[in-house]
Structure formats: C-alpha cells, structure tokens
Amino acid sequence: MKERTQMSTLSVLPKPDSPPAPRRLRWILVLLALAQLIFALDLNIVFVALPEIGGELGFPGQTQQLVVSAYVVVAGGFLLFGGRAADLLGKRRIFILALSIYAVSSLAGGLADSAATIIVARVAQGLGGALLLPSTLALVNTLFDEGPRRNRALAVWGGAGASGLTLGALLGGLLTQNFGWPAVFFVNVPLAGIVALAAFFIIPRDAARTVGRKFDLPGAFSVTAGATLLVFGLVEGPELGWGDPVIVVSLLLAIALLALFAVVESRTADPLMPFRLFRNRSLTVGMTITFLFMGTFGVLPYFLTVLLQTVHGFSALQTGLAFLVPSLAIAAGTQLGERLTSRSGTRTTLLIGFGIGIVGTAGLAFGFDADASYSVLVPGLIVSGVGQGIVWTAMWIASSTGTAAEEQGIANGIASTTLNLGNAIGLAVFTVIADLGIEGLTGDALGGAIADGGFSVVLLSAAVMVAGFLITLSLRRVRPVAGR
C-alpha cells in the first residue's frame, strides 16, 4: 500500500525523458508567459516610484537612478552566467531559483528602510532577472518543437512581455499613488512565489546532469565581471560624465576582462561560451538583431517618456495610459510575427518587421514637437509598435534555430546579453545626442530643445533600423516547417 502511494505521488510529476502531453504544454506555456510578465513588469514598475523612494529613504537628486542602475547592471552582467547555469544545472532548477530570488528580494525591497537596503534588494532582483530570462527562453525552446509550435509559444511569451511593460507603467502609478512606493515591490512577491511553486508540478523535471561537463569558472568570472563593468560604464557614463575616473577605469577593466575571457574560452576544454556556436548563422544574425533592436526600438520609450512628462507635463499615471497604445500594437505585432514566420519564414518576417518599423518610427519623429498633441504621436506609435512586435518574435526564433537542446541556455544567454548591451549603448549614445544644445536653457526654450533632441534621436533610430534590415538579408531562405 505504501509503495502504491509513493508511485501515485511520483506520477503527478512529468517524467523528464518523455515529451509533455499537449494539455500540460499549454499549462507550461502559461507559467513561462507569467514569468516573462514578471520580468517585464519589474523593468518599468519602479520608475514612477523613484521620487517617493528618494524622498523617504534619503536619495539626493540624481542618485535615485541607482535604484534602476543596480538592477540593469547586474542583470546585464550575469546573463551569460545564467544561460550556462541553465544548461549545466538544469533549466527548471534555475527557473525556480530565479523566481525564488525575485520573491525574496522584492519582499526585502518593500521592507527597506534605508538607501543601502533597497540597492542590495535591486542587485538581488537583477541576479534573479539574469537567471530568469535565459532559463525561461531555454525552456520554451526545448519543450516546444522547432517550427510552428515553438513560434506560437514565443509569440505568447513575447506578448506577455509587451503586456508586462504596459502593466509596469500603469501599476507603478496606481500602486504608488494609493498604497505608497513599497507596493511596487510587494506585488512581485505573490506573483513570483506562485509561479515558482507551480513549476514544481507542471514543468518536467530536469534530466540527469551530463557526466564530464563542468562549469568554466575562469570564463564565468571574467565575462561576468567584464560585462558588469561594461554595462555599469555605459549606464552611468551619461550621469557621471565620460571623463570621470570611475567610468574610464570601469570601461578599461571591462575591455581587459572581456579580452581575457576570449583567451580563456579558446583554451578550455568545456567553455562557458563555445565559439563554435557562432558557426550557426541564424544565432549570429539573431544576436546581432537583438543588439540593434534594443539600441533602436528599445530606447524609444525612454525618450517618449521624457517628451510626455517633461515637455507636455503628463503625470505618471497619464504617461502609463499613453503607453497603452504602443503596447497593444506591440502585442498585436508579436502574434502577427508568429503567423508570418510559420507561413513565410524567419528571414521574410524580419524584413517585413523592420520595414514596418522604419516607416512607423520615421513617422513617430514628427510627433516630437513641443506644440504637438499626443494624437500626432498615435499613428507612428501604432505602426512602429506593430513592426517592433513582429521583429521581437522573429528575432528570438532566429536566435534559437539550429542550436542543440543542451546548449539552448547559453545561446539564449548570448542573445539576451547582446539585447542588454544594445539597450545600454543605444541609450548612452542617443542621450548624448538628445542633450546637445539644452544646457542653460529654461522654460519654453528648454521644452522646445528637448523635443527637437527627441526628434533627432527617433529619426536616427529609424536610420539604424535600416542596418537591421540589411543584416537580415544574410539569413538563408528556409522553407517554413509544416505543422499544426
């Protein structure tokens, strides 16, 4: 009887060696989409609470940005580490660990009573994000067969991310206004905890670890430290000044450590990032496109926020509502991207997405006028958003195509790292361009200069998207896989 009870209990969990049933796959996708929702939610939800956090915890002026930077720097620096950990230690294990870190660090952030405590909490959240994104993508790409099924899964995953960005802005305003800034942290605790607990019962257990494979500690240390310092320098450079000794030393050390990483990887028997992966043209093009995507599409929300709040005087809640339009367009684009990829292939879909994005972004630029109303922005936001959603889905499909299941974690870690670096570099460069000529201005003159700077940046973003279009042409034409 005891033996029968044990067997019944174990049968609740799916076996790691057998593919999940279609019904279980649907529940798995729900969990993975929720995880992406949590990840995207956390990117934006803290922004609108920064003034209240700074006022209560004693952050003077510009140092409030540390609440954001602490997350971005650590998340960007540890993405490769997170991807390889998912491959070697188990995708489900790392997925659950990441969500657990999110839940605990969010609780600590909400309970923080000092600047130091909340910075440490944000560092821990960044580590959780670095483990969560590549492990979630790796689970999607290994549990769903390459082709239409995986394309649909990535579209749902991408749509959840777009929804999270919208909810982040809206929830941030609502929660801060009604419950105070700690609520923007506390909201993650039940969400992450529930998804982590459900993963034990729904996501298949990890297979036994491969004998002989080890973690490349020298490579992990050099690339993590190098990437972290690089992202730190790029994020803090506009704030501290590019000639600041801290920034100069950080960037020089980053270059040295990344060069050391390249040497280590070329000599170790079991590298953290096998360079042979780059022989896969789809991965190489996909990671390049993720870089350009975040350096162009990814910086637009920042400059749009500056325009709406600084020039047009929108409140945090009004700004969140204004982002509903592009977010719905992006969500629609992610679903359209899946259908186009399944019917026409990744190459054609990316070309269509970039083409639509270029036209929409160029049109969006004309709404960056101090005297223009929000309605002037709407057509460009819709068209650009649809193009952005199409590219988002297709670029992850490209990055995952042709890579073995046991290396999906590191492949997605590579693509996620270039995504993060693209955002940091794009924002650093375009911020410098946007700020040209505004020093010393006040009042209407300042508002006009900020709008003009945004106009230049958005047009330049459209121009850089052309590079993404041209790089996509190097992808091979592949007939889409038939299937349901």
Side-chain angles (χ1 to χ4, degrees):
M1 182 68 180
K2 182 178 180 181
E3 182 180 354
R4 183 179 300 172
T5 302
Q6 288 176 338
M7 290 178 65
S8 175
T9 301
L10 290 173
S11 66
V12 173
L13 294 172
K15 296 179 180 179
D17 297 326
S18 57
R23 184 177 180 183
R24 186 175 292 280
L25 274 175
R26 286 194 289 271
W27 282 109
I28 290 171
L29 183 55
V30 168
L31 284 188
L32 298 178
L34 282 172
Q36 175 62 8
L37 179 71
I38 293 167
F39 178 83
L41 193 73
D42 206 49
L43 292 175
N44 277 357
I45 197 169
V46 174
F47 279 103
V48 295
L50 285 179
E52 286 79 4
I53 293 172
E56 186 168 327
L57 299 184
F59 280 96
Q62 292 183 338
T63 59
Q64 294 174 18
Q65 183 64 25
L66 288 173
V67 179
V68 176
S69 300
Y71 180 93
V72 173
V73 169
V74 175
F78 279 81
L79 280 167
L80 273 178
F81 176 90
R84 194 55 165 171
D87 286 334
L88 295 183
L89 304 179
K91 298 171 180 62
R92 189 183 78 151
R93 291 187 189 96
I94 298 301
F95 178 78
I96 293 172
L97 174 62
L99 288 165
S100 301
I101 292 173
Y102 250 118
V104 173
S105 59
S106 296
L107 180 62
L111 296 173
D113 58 0
S114 68
T117 303
I118 203 166
I119 292 299
V120 171
R122 288 294 283 170
V123 166
Q125 281 188 321
L127 178 60
L131 296 174
L132 185 61
L133 182 56
S135 62
T136 304
L137 271 168
L139 284 167
V140 171
N141 292 327
T142 53
L143 294 175
F144 295 85
D145 297 334
E146 188 172 310
R149 183 172 289 179
R150 183 187 293 176
N151 296 350
R152 282 193 290 271
L154 285 169
V156 171
W157 172 84
S163 301
L165 293 175
T166 304
L167 288 174
L170 286 173
L171 276 178
L174 288 170
L175 291 173
T176 302
Q177 183 174 315
N178 293 293
F179 303 102
W181 68 262
V184 304
F185 290 93
F186 288 144
V187 71
N188 272 331
V189 179
L191 289 175
I194 290 169
V195 175
L197 183 62
F200 277 108
F201 301 97
I202 295 177
I203 296 177
R205 291 169 293 174
D206 295 310
R209 292 180 61 184
T210 305
V211 177
R213 296 184 74 185
K214 64 181 189 301
F215 208 93
D216 173 20
L217 290 178
F221 169 78
S222 56
V223 74
T224 300
T228 301
L229 287 169
L230 178 60
V231 176
F232 171 81
L234 293 171
V235 169
E236 293 298 318
E239 293 289 334
L240 300 178
W242 295 106
D244 188 283
V246 173
I247 300 301
V248 173
V249 171
S250 295
L251 294 177
L252 290 176
L253 281 175
I255 294 170
L257 285 165
L258 293 175
L260 175 62
F261 171 69
V263 173
V264 169
E265 296 304 280
S266 65
R267 297 182 178 180
T268 186
D270 198 5
L272 176 75
M273 187 178 73
F275 290 145
R276 56 179 167 72
L277 290 176
F278 298 111
R279 297 173 193 163
N280 177 0
R281 186 183 299 180
S282 188
L283 171 61
T284 303
V285 173
M287 60 175 275
T288 305
I289 288 174
T290 64
F291 178 87
L292 292 173
F293 177 94
M294 282 305 288
T296 54
F297 287 116
V299 303
L300 296 180
Y302 171 80
F303 292 101
L304 183 61
T305 300
V306 171
L307 176 74
L308 295 177
Q309 292 188 331
T310 305
V311 179
H312 296 312
F314 279 35
S315 68
L317 185 56
Q318 288 174 320
T319 303
L321 291 171
F323 273 100
L324 275 176
V325 171
S327 296
L328 290 172
I330 293 168
T334 60
Q335 307 309 305
L336 180 57
E338 176 265 316
R339 289 169 173 78
L340 285 170
T341 304
S342 297
R343 294 175 183 175
S344 306
T346 307
R347 182 180 185 270
T348 299
T349 302
L350 283 169
L351 291 174
I352 292 172
F354 272 119
I356 294 173
I358 291 165
V359 172
T361 304
L364 177 64
F366 294 96
F368 276 72
D369 188 305
D371 298 321
S373 66
Y374 175 74
S375 61
V376 180
L377 291 165
V378 169
L381 289 174
I382 293 174
V383 178
S384 179
V386 170
Q388 180 175 343
I390 293 172
V391 174
W392 176 264
T393 298
M395 75 185 189
W396 292 115
I397 293 171
S399 298
S400 66
T401 299
T403 299
E406 65 272 15
E407 292 181 321
Q408 280 290 342
I410 188 60
N412 288 300
I414 293 169
S416 301
T417 299
T418 55
L419 185 85
N420 192 280
L421 289 175
N423 187 44
I425 293 173
L427 197 55
V429 172
F430 284 137
T431 298
V432 171
I433 294 171
D435 288 347
L436 290 174
I438 69 171
E439 188 175 353
L441 298 179
T442 58
D444 292 341
L446 176 61
I450 290 173
D452 290 343
F455 174 84
S456 300
V457 163
V458 176
L459 275 185
L460 283 172
S461 296
V464 177
M465 289 174 195
V466 176
F469 183 94
L470 296 175
I471 289 169
T472 300
L473 293 173
S474 65
L475 275 176
R476 294 188 180 92
R477 295 178 183 270
V478 179
R479 176 175 291 182
V481 179
R484 295 181 63 185

